[in-house]
Amino acid sequence: MRIHAFFASHAWKLSFSIRRFFMHWFTVFAIIWTFIDFVAFFFGKDQDRPWKFLVWIVIGVSVLIALWMSRPRLTRKVRLKDTDVTIKIVVDDLFRRKGSTVIIPVNTFFKHDDIDDKAILMQYRNLFYSNHIEFDSQLKEQLKDEPYTQGVLQGEQVNSYSPGTVVRLQTTHRRIKAAYLVATAELNEHGRAKPNRSLLQFALHELWNRIAERGRKELLAIPIIGSGRGRINVTRYELIYDIVHSFLQAIKDNKFTEELTIIIHPRAFIQNEYSLDEIEEYLRFVSKFNRIENNKVVGFS
């Protein structure tokens, strides 16, 4: 899917610049031709230099190199000013992030019986556990000390945990070190999410606090929470802002990680026509001016 995102028309339309392409092409052409001319001057013979043939080769090679240098970049990286903390934006599958601990949104019931296999939680369960019994056993163990109330889901009494409840599941797979499951959405009695952006913001705040107080210092990867089954009716740029805002608030007093990677799934990247240039520009602006004032971070314009 990542290769599909690379060749997506909007990726090239938003990232490719004719002016930048010609600047790259002229620079590459000049470097290659200078090198060839230098070698020919000192080691070759004038009558043996096939100039016309070499010109077309150099033009072709320099065009290819300039295209590569002008390609859409599906990974963007910004280091926060005066810190050793980096925020990345990456178009990829969340579970391809080797060596990271992933963050997975769940409902306050921590139920997954009726969720389709495309949900992040289900992908995690199916990829890293041999069966759902093993997964349920580890989840139950991690939830045993968490406070809960009784709720109703599809006519049955189930345990309902507070929004922002966080549990850590350890995996033995070398690709993903562990996962933080964070309760970001409440379900109605029919098992459908009740969209609530304030609840999501609160859950993110609790997530970072939990990691800062009790978690390990490790690389973190998070999807754009709330954009799919959370049903929150805001743009994905606003959801990215919520993630960045809450993270910057938490990291300023406690450096609990050296890198946060915000993952955009290739399918979502293509369907929603994200502009990585705009997101990177926003992150650089926040980093450069350290715009955290009165518990607010300047958002996208």
Side-chain angles (χ1 to χ4, degrees), residues 110 112 135-143 167 169 181:
F110 282 81
H112 55 90
F135 175 79
D136 288 339
S137 175
Q138 188 176 155
L139 179 59
K140 184 178 180 180
E141 176 66 22
Q142 296 301 315
L143 285 170
V167 297
L169 300 184
L181 275 56

Side-chain angles (χ1 to χ4, degrees), residues 213-276:
E213 292 175 3
R214 293 189 282 169
R216 304 173 186 177
K217 190 175 181 181
E218 51 199 353
L219 306 183
L220 301 173
I222 185 171
I224 302 178
I225 297 175
S227 59
R229 290 160 182 81
R231 303 190 176 193
I232 298 177
N233 190 25
V234 297
T235 69
R236 285 167 169 78
Y237 290 106
E238 291 174 281
L239 295 173
I240 292 173
Y241 163 75
D242 286 342
I243 294 172
V244 173
H245 177 192
S246 60
F247 179 73
L248 291 178
Q249 284 291 319
I251 205 73
K252 65 180 180 179
D253 296 322
N254 187 328
K255 195 179 80 170
F256 51 85
T257 184
E258 294 185 349
E259 181 179 287
L260 174 69
T261 301
I262 301 174
I263 303 293
I264 302 174
H265 193 276
R267 189 183 302 109
F269 175 77
I270 295 171
Q271 291 176 350
N272 299 287
E273 299 190 354
Y274 286 93
S275 172
L276 297 186

Side-chain angles (χ1 to χ4, degrees), residues 49 53 55 58 129 141 167 176 278 285 288 300:
R49 289 186 292 186
F53 179 68
V55 166
V58 173
Y129 292 85
E141 176 66 22
V167 297
I176 300 296
E278 290 182 1
F285 175 81
K288 182 176 180 179
F300 290 102

Side-chain angles (χ1 to χ4, degrees), residues 133-178:
I133 297 175
E134 180 188 359
F135 175 79
D136 288 339
S137 175
Q138 188 176 155
L139 179 59
K140 184 178 180 180
E141 176 66 22
Q142 296 301 315
L143 285 170
K144 69 180 182 179
D145 295 325
E146 298 293 338
Y148 64 87
T149 58
Q150 287 295 307
V152 178
L153 178 63
Q154 297 180 341
E156 296 183 5
Q157 291 286 325
V158 294
N159 294 343
S160 178
Y161 298 87
S162 301
T165 298
V166 179
V167 297
R168 177 187 170 96
L169 300 184
Q170 197 72 32
T171 61
T172 57
H173 201 284
R174 63 182 180 180
R175 191 192 315 168
I176 300 296
K177 296 175 63 176

